[in-house]
Amino acid sequence: MTTHRLRRPRLASLYAALAACMPAAAAAAPAEPPTQLDSVRVFGEPRALSGFPGSAAIVAGDALRDGQRQVSLAESLVRVPGVSVLDRQNYAQDLQIQSRGYGARSTFGIRGIRLVVDGIPATALDGQGQASSFPIGSLERIEVLRGPLALQYGNAAGGAILAETALDGDDGAQASAWVGSHASHRAEAGLAGGDGDWRWRAQASHFVSGGERTHSAAERTQLNAVARWTPDRDHSLRLVLAALDQPYTDDPLGLDRERLRRTPRGTDPAALAFDTRKRIGNLQAGARWEAAYAPDRSYWIGAYAIQRDIVQFLAVPVAAQRAPTSAGGVVDVGRASTGIDLGHRWRGASGSLLLGLELGRLDEARKGYENFAGIGAAQRLGVRGRLRRDEDNRVRSIEAYAVADRSLGERWKTLAALRHARTRFSSDDRYQAAGNGDDGGRLDYRNTTFSLGLARAFANGELFASLGNGFETPTVTELAYGPDNRSGFNRDLRAARYASAEIGLRWRPRWGRFSATAYRIDGREEIVPATSSGGRASFTNAGDTRRSGLELGVDGRWGPHWSYLASFNWTRARFASPFSYNTAAGPRSIASGNRVPGVARANGYAELAWDSARARFGAALELRANSAVAVDDLNSERAPGYAQLALRLQWRGPRGWRGFARADNLFDRDYVGSVIVNESNARFYEPGAGRGFTIGVERRQ
């Protein structure tokens, strides 16, 4: 067994700082204040955003849905400063969401950001998340936390994205549908209501797309059901059931520079030869009980269970699979996750103290098969062939945390958080053959993190500053292959460590809202892709990294009919020390000062909207822009920057009728929507979508 112990802060000073924020246990306090609209749910309870000493943003339900296709978070999270959402136009690999540059290395799914939907983590214990599980059509809001205080969510360096289903208001039935370019359409139906102490909502949707690129068709069916029982003001039970079924979704892969130049929206021939595709099934259920048993004393206990199954056909060349250590070109994974979250909260006249415990386990059955069958002229590609891998992987996690906040007079507020985490990975190899020995192993990761924030209120706003440290363990997939794509448990892969600090301003003048945040993040042993080929990636540890940046956000109204919103991110992400690693093509050395690949130096979003009297009609022009992006650690190539416009029109009619129309990429620009970092065949580029049209209608009763 190998144990990686991350450097711990000086606990004596941390506990002292934490104790300074604790309220007096015996202090009398008024009753719990009502929930505020301008609040974020931090560490299990609502906190007023106006006094939160860290970076946070809220995307309301209307912004998630009005005039939007409601297919992915790429439509709405671009509004949030500090967040970049790169739409691969590849539903087999999901979105790439970045927060302050974290998440750029992910070849599929979400990495470096904690995702939580209705109290159930959409991020597994190992740190791998899936944004496709967000039921956008039924969400009340999405909260985005960034910076040092968000590091207290555990195994994530980029922060947390929290979503919750709307249960209050809008009783009755709802149905919507739209049709769009590339044989795309989506239909959704839902029902919400309540009787006495119960409130509930159920929503189902079905999405189909033929895809703009050849071999990029997709289909997805989702169900989300949430119920809340509140027998009195001191007790509440929340029940959640969600399901996702995504049949085989085509994967068009990335393009190299020459093919991108010749066919900007083309498909690599390997995708067609191997019929690259992915199937996903996800079922999850959860419950959370909260109770106040005495004045200013309450507790909660929650539990969840998730079953996720994935089958993926990759474009691994036949010759590469003939090596004794190859795991083949078909991945068949079944994951079962369970977890318990419990805690206690004390409130005092000037603050509160919260203690919590999270226990989780993940059991994974992973098999690999050759993606071909037969020999010679009879050989067939893109089929399930011989078994080449069979292993059972397990993750066990236990995390204890404490959060305390205190008001220091009328203007000052502090918040401190302490978390200790232990995560154990183990793998039992059930496939052993000549030249392929026992690849099992075990790794332990332990870390103690601390963060502290301070806010000072002024007229219509506040200044805030925070600092802290965080960590990221490797995922099971990142541990599956060595830096040169050899088989076996990657025992040398260490957890990444980060120290972060920020200073910011939130201002709410009469004309709207303005925010600005500057930050710096120093990383050690950041986990980066060593190779990526045909849909499979292997990972290694880099040297030191440094991220510094500026985030700006503004929104407001201009007269009775006009509104505007803009967000801007400037990020300087570089390797602060040289490092090297081995690949199948030989050793690779990375110079200090190279840009971290996949991270744009600058990007932003702007929106100018108009509403008629009584908001019957509306129109908006949307601008998205991104600067050039390095595609590999060597910075050998860059994806060019781009800017594109979209136009949306909305109509609100009588008796609950609504309609919308969209024209995306209005001027049909060719651009790169995302890059595959360190792709071994130089197929770095994933084309963005061309001009597309959508028209939809909705009815609420």
Side-chain angles (χ1 to χ4, degrees):
M1 180 182 73
T2 304
T3 300
H4 294 306
R5 293 183 179 272
L6 282 65
R7 182 178 300 172
R8 302 186 181 187
R10 296 182 178 178
L11 296 182
S13 61
L14 299 188
Y15 287 127
L18 188 63
C21 295
M22 292 182 183
E32 181 175 86
T35 301
Q36 303 179 49
L37 292 177
D38 186 23
S39 65
V40 289
R41 194 171 186 87
V42 183
F43 316 122
E45 65 174 335
R47 298 175 187 270
L49 179 59
S50 58
F52 181 61
S55 298
I58 299 169
V59 182
D62 289 345
L64 294 171
R65 290 181 285 276
D66 287 354
Q68 304 293 349
R69 291 156 51 94
Q70 303 178 47
V71 174
S72 75
L73 294 178
E75 302 166 14
S76 51
L77 288 188
V78 291
R79 307 164 67 92
V80 178
V83 174
S84 302
V85 186
L86 306 183
D87 193 345
R88 307 176 191 271
Q89 291 298 306
N90 183 346
Y91 296 101
Q93 305 295 359
D94 211 339
L95 300 174
Q96 185 189 99
I97 300 179
Q98 299 181 23
S99 175
R100 297 185 174 177
Y102 290 102
R105 72 172 185 265
S106 178
T107 55
F108 66 92
I110 312 301
R111 189 70 178 95
I113 302 172
R114 180 78 176 270
L115 308 176
V116 181
V117 183
D118 286 313
I120 299 178
T123 299
L125 292 177
D126 61 352
Q128 184 71 49
Q130 302 292 331
S132 58
S133 59
F134 277 63
I136 298 174
S138 60
L139 294 181
E140 179 180 13
R141 55 198 254 154
I142 289 178
E143 302 167 11
V144 183
L145 306 177
R146 314 178 305 281
L149 294 178
L151 294 175
Q152 287 305 312
Y153 274 90
N155 192 4
I161 298 176
L162 316 175
E164 192 164 289
T165 295
L167 290 177
D168 297 315
D170 292 333
D171 286 3
Q174 172 266 335
S176 63
W178 61 255
V179 294
S181 302
H182 315 301
S184 299
H185 59 269
R186 182 179 185 270
E188 182 176 76
L191 197 62
D195 182 12
D197 301 332
W198 284 94
R199 297 290 303 172
W200 52 269
R201 178 182 293 272
Q203 204 104 354
S205 66
H206 182 66
F207 165 70
V208 175
S209 176
E212 178 173 9
R213 300 169 65 191
T214 301
H215 197 71
S216 62
E219 181 180 357
R220 180 191 299 160
T221 301
Q222 286 182 265
L223 170 68
N224 187 60
V226 180
R228 184 185 66 210
W229 178 54
T230 312
D232 54 57
R233 60 171 297 183
D234 295 326
H235 299 84
S236 176
L237 173 66
R238 191 179 185 94
L239 304 173
V240 180
L241 177 66
L244 167 71
D245 179 36
Q246 187 168 317
Y248 279 120
T249 300
D250 293 336
D251 184 353
L253 301 179
L255 304 179
D256 61 29
R257 179 169 288 277
E258 179 58 24
R259 191 172 298 277
L260 179 72
R261 184 188 65 80
R262 289 189 284 111
T263 55
R265 297 167 196 167
T267 296
D268 191 274
L272 303 177
F274 288 96
D275 191 14
T276 49
R277 59 201 188 274
K278 187 176 186 178
R279 185 182 70 199
I280 303 173
N282 194 88
L283 178 65
Q284 58 191 44
R288 182 182 177 91
W289 170 256
E290 298 188 35
Y293 64 91
D296 306 318
R297 305 289 186 270
S298 61
Y299 70 91
W300 74 90
I301 180 168
Y304 67 87
I306 305 172
Q307 178 66 47
R308 188 173 183 86
D309 299 298
I310 298 173
V311 177
Q312 184 173 15
F313 286 76
L314 308 173
V316 179
V318 172
Q321 296 180 65
R322 298 195 187 280
T325 56
S326 171
V330 180
V331 179
D332 189 338
V333 175
R335 283 187 156 196
S337 301
T338 55
I340 296 176
D341 172 21
L342 52 93
H344 192 281
R345 157 187 318 118
W346 295 264
R347 296 185 184 276
S350 58
S352 66
L353 170 65
L354 181 153
L355 299 178
L357 181 67
E358 295 178 0
L359 305 172
R361 61 179 291 169
L362 184 156
D363 294 290
E364 177 187 272
R366 178 180 290 262
K367 293 184 178 181
Y369 301 86
E370 293 175 345
N371 61 0
F372 65 93
I375 58 175
Q379 187 176 82
R380 292 175 298 143
L381 304 180
V383 297
R384 188 183 299 231
R386 292 186 305 156
L387 180 70
R388 298 298 301 274
R389 182 174 194 165
D390 186 0
E391 64 189 32
D392 292 333
N393 301 313
R394 291 171 298 279
V395 182
R396 301 291 184 268
S397 175
I398 178 169
E399 302 190 18
Y401 60 94
V403 182
D405 66 83
R406 188 181 181 98
S407 297
L408 307 176
E410 296 183 356
R411 294 185 177 272
W412 293 90
K413 292 186 178 181
T414 63
L415 187 148
L418 181 70
R419 177 181 287 254
H420 178 74
R422 178 176 179 178
T423 306
R424 171 172 292 182
F425 293 77
S426 62
S427 179
D428 292 333
D429 188 359
R430 299 182 180 276
Y431 177 87
Q432 298 176 39
N436 188 332
D438 187 351
D439 293 323
R442 179 178 293 179
L443 289 170
D444 275 2
Y445 298 96
R446 301 180 185 181
N447 191 30
T448 300
T449 61
F450 174 75
S451 57
L452 176 65
L454 178 67
R456 186 189 188 280
F458 62 90
N460 301 322
E462 63 267 347
L463 294 166
F464 63 87
S466 63
L467 55 86
N469 65 322
F471 72 100
E472 277 186 20
T473 69
T475 67
V476 171
T477 301
E478 290 169 350
L479 289 168
Y481 310 98
D484 56 358
N485 237 335
R486 67 182 186 273
S487 68
F489 203 59
N490 191 351
R491 299 176 180 84
D492 298 326
L493 200 55
R494 298 174 296 279
R497 298 170 286 172
Y498 301 98
S500 177
E502 67 176 6
I503 183 169
L505 160 73
R506 282 189 293 266
W507 181 36
R508 294 171 288 276
R510 292 182 178 179
W511 48 262
R513 295 174 296 184
F514 173 79
S515 65
T517 307
Y519 63 87
R520 172 171 162 173
I521 307 168
D522 292 324
R524 298 188 62 186
E525 299 184 316
E526 184 163 333
I527 302 170
V528 299
T531 59
S532 180
S533 178
R536 171 180 292 155
S538 59
F539 294 81
T540 189
N541 290 102
D544 297 341
T545 59
R546 176 169 297 170
R547 289 169 168 83
S548 54
L550 177 66
E551 304 163 354
L552 301 175
V554 61
D555 66 271
R557 297 201 63 86
W558 189 7
H561 301 295
W562 293 91
S563 63
Y564 56 87
L565 180 145
S567 63
F568 171 78
N569 306 318
W570 178 84
T571 306
R572 189 176 188 271
R574 295 190 176 272
F575 294 112
S577 64
F579 66 100
S580 60
Y581 54 88
N582 293 321
T583 71
R588 174 178 292 179
S589 297
I590 310 303
S592 174
N594 278 13
R595 290 173 60 174
V596 174
V599 182
R601 175 70 64 86
N603 60 62
Y605 172 83
E607 174 184 300
L608 180 63
W610 171 85
D611 283 316
S612 68
R614 300 183 181 179
R616 283 293 181 90
F617 299 94
L621 194 63
E622 305 170 0
L623 169 67
R624 304 182 188 214
N626 215 60
S627 66
V629 173
V631 300
D632 60 6
D633 297 336
L634 295 172
N635 292 181
S636 62
E637 297 181 20
R638 293 187 182 183
Y642 65 87
Q644 59 158 298
L645 290 171
L647 175 67
R648 75 171 188 259
L649 305 174
Q650 295 171 250
W651 166 74
R652 296 177 177 87
R655 299 182 180 179
W657 284 98
R658 294 186 180 188
F660 81 96
R662 290 189 61 88
D664 290 291
N665 195 356
L666 200 57
F667 297 106
D668 201 24
R669 302 290 190 188
D670 292 332
Y671 70 101
V672 176
S674 178
V675 299
I676 305 172
V677 171
N678 287 352
E679 216 284 338
S680 302
N681 299 296
R683 297 189 297 227
F684 303 115
Y685 307 100
E686 296 184 286
R691 182 166 48 223
F693 298 96
T694 308
I695 184 168
V697 65
E698 179 185 24
R699 173 75 189 279
R700 294 180 181 270
Q701 287 185 317

